[in-house]
């Protein structure tokens, strides 16, 4: 079956760096997405990786290794507003998105 | 403001009643989706439409139906609601020619009693 694994919850300190991991087993691969979802709100797009390597976008970076079925989202200079759930999703061979359950990130002052 | 709009934002419904969740987008995206989100689970695809006039079943389609008469609208209907359909429902759209990033509506919180 298809599976996306990510930690349920993580805690980090304001100003620090945090890495949220995502491992996947899917039928084919056509890209990996990271979304941010604040409590009670809709998910919003953060990043997209289809080739191996690191994609940097401001304080957020996303890494992909297709051979390992692995990605991470790196958040630098954490701010209180970064407290949210972070969703990993993989697009499979049918171009459908398979979603992880999300990682709830708690930022402490 | 361009985007995707869902209605209602919240609804309490008696079991056995019929309910339609509305979704409209003005971005001219070809693909639209309905997801449900439950605590501890990932977003689960209910139905999707790759283009106006076509629809397809997702991971959890039972008890739900959709239609796509035009590009902008993609309503989701629960013919006879059951308590297990209590959830937050998100409509989303994407333009597959532009990478397929999903844009989500604000969600509809449905409680079936």
């Amino acid at each position: 079956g298809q599976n996306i694994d990510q930690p349920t919850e993580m805690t980090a300190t304001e100003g620090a760096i945090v890495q949220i991991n995502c491992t996947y087993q899917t039928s084919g691969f056509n890209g990996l997405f990271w979304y941010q979802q604040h409590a009670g709100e809709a998910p919003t797009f953060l990043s997209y990786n289809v080739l191996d390597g690191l994609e940097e976008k401001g304080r957020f970076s996303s890494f992909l290794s297709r051979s390992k079925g692995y990605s991470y989202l790196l958040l630098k200079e954490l701010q209180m507003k970064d407290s949210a759930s972070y969703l990993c999703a993989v697009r499979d061979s049918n171009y459908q998105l398979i979603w992880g359950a999300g990682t709830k990130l708690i930022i402490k002052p | 403001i361009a985007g995707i709009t869902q209605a209602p934002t919240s609804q309490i419904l008696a079991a056995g009643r019929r309910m339609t969740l509305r979704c409209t987008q003005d971005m001219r995206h070809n693909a639209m989706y309905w997801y449900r989100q439950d605590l501890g689970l990932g977003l689960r695809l209910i139905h999707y439409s790759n283009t106006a006039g076509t629809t397809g079943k997702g991971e959890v389609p039972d008890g739900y139906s959709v239609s796509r008469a035009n590009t902008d609208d993609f309503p989701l209907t629960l013919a006879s609601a059951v308590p297990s359909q209590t959830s937050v429902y998100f409509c989303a759209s994407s333009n597959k020619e532009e990478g397929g990033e999903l844009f989500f509506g604000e969600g509809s919180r449905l409680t079936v009693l």
Side-chain angles (χ1 to χ4, degrees), chain A residues 32-44:
Chain A
L32 185 143
F33 294 81
W34 284 96
Y35 283 77
Q36 180 189 60
Q37 185 177 25
H38 286 100
E41 298 182 7
T44 56

Side-chain angles (χ1 to χ4, degrees), chain B:
Chain B
I1 298 176
I4 184 164
T5 304
Q6 291 183 231
T9 56
S10 181
Q11 182 76 44
I12 299 173
L13 187 66
R17 297 299 294 269
R18 180 183 179 89
M19 177 72 194
T20 295
L21 303 180
R22 300 183 298 280
C23 177
T24 299
Q25 55 106 357
D26 61 4
M27 296 175 284
R28 308 304 292 174
H29 285 170
N30 47 20
M32 296 187 75
Y33 312 84
W34 274 106
Y35 287 94
R36 60 177 289 172
Q37 187 175 41
D38 302 288
L39 197 63
L41 300 177
L43 287 161
R44 292 185 290 169
L45 183 65
I46 304 171
H47 285 287
Y48 65 93
S49 170
N50 287 329
T51 189
T54 69
T55 62
K57 294 182 179 180
E59 180 186 356
V60 289
D62 294 343
Y64 306 94
S65 63
V66 292
S67 61
R68 187 87 184 277
N70 56 60
T71 298
D72 298 344
D73 301 301
F74 191 45
L76 176 74
T77 297
L78 290 68
S80 179
V82 295
S84 62
Q85 292 178 312
T86 293
S87 188
V88 179
Y89 291 86
F90 286 103
C91 181
S93 70
S94 71
N95 189 331
K96 292 192 171 183
E97 285 71 39
E98 293 177 357
E101 167 195 346
L102 263 63
F103 292 80
F104 286 86
E106 290 303 307
S108 297
R109 182 176 296 276
L110 183 65
T111 302
V112 183
L113 302 176

Side-chain angles (χ1 to χ4, degrees), chain A residues 51-79:
Chain A
L51 300 176
D52 291 351
L54 188 68
E55 294 280 343
E56 297 186 79
K57 190 184 293 186
R59 294 188 298 114
F60 293 6
S61 303
S62 56
F63 172 83
L64 174 67
S65 169
R66 289 172 296 171
S67 63
K68 296 182 178 178
Y70 168 70
S71 173
Y72 67 73
L73 181 69
L74 191 71
L75 291 73
K76 302 176 184 177
E77 301 170 14
L78 286 170
Q79 302 175 9

